[in-house]
Amino acid sequence: MGEFLGELMALFADGFVRRLRLARTRRRLAAGRPARIPCSARVDRPGEEAGYVGGRLLITPGSATVTFASSALRLELAAGGEFHEPEPEVWHDQDWAATAYRPPGPGPLVYLQTDTAHLPLLHAALAAPAAAEPV
């Protein structure tokens, strides 16, 4: 019974913490301050390993770029690109959603995965330079 209660507590605490982080991110962006969104990225470049790398998207309101940063990969994504169909279902789970983004100009397609609650913020940040307006 104790294990069951422990699992339930972890489940409810996780949802609560996620809602708090989302609210904090929205408040920071609405105030014109930079914010970080947990995210995983994969780049379609010839000769590179096709695996996701966990990191964070660094969004600065009014900036023309959004930065993905991790210990293994750093990408500067120009705002104003195109979103494409997400990857096949095998890349999704109930909490994470994927989207494909092609930055303007020549450049590789970048696959991004983030918590489903953060996906509208990610789309808004990459849609236009005045990107990080509250959703």
Side-chain angles (χ1 to χ4, degrees):
M1 184 69 165
E3 289 180 29
F4 178 71
L5 290 176
E7 291 291 325
L8 280 177
M9 286 176 37
L11 178 67
F12 289 118
D14 181 56
F16 179 71
V17 169
R18 285 183 192 204
R19 283 194 303 273
L20 282 177
R21 286 183 181 161
L22 179 62
R24 180 178 185 263
T25 301
R26 285 186 173 155
R27 279 194 315 269
R28 288 184 65 86
L29 293 174
R33 298 178 63 196
R36 294 182 303 241
I37 296 177
C39 182
S40 296
R42 181 174 73 81
V43 181
D44 272 349
R45 289 186 194 148
E48 280 195 32
E49 186 178 324
Y52 278 93
V53 177
R56 298 201 179 275
L57 279 176
L58 308 171
I59 300 171
T60 303
S63 175
T65 62
V66 172
T67 303
F68 174 80
S70 76
S71 59
L73 180 66
R74 185 171 179 86
L75 298 171
E76 293 287 331
L77 302 172
E82 300 173 348
F83 288 98
H84 295 274
E85 290 295 317
E87 291 187 288
E89 277 303 308
V90 296
W91 295 102
H92 298 257
D93 74 17
Q94 68 183 27
D95 295 328
W96 287 75
T99 190
Y101 179 71
R102 182 173 305 281
L109 192 63
V110 179
Y111 294 97
L112 301 167
Q113 281 187 335
T114 189
D115 189 294
T116 54
H118 286 107
L119 195 60
L121 294 175
L122 181 140
H123 279 269
L126 290 171
E133 297 300 321
V135 178

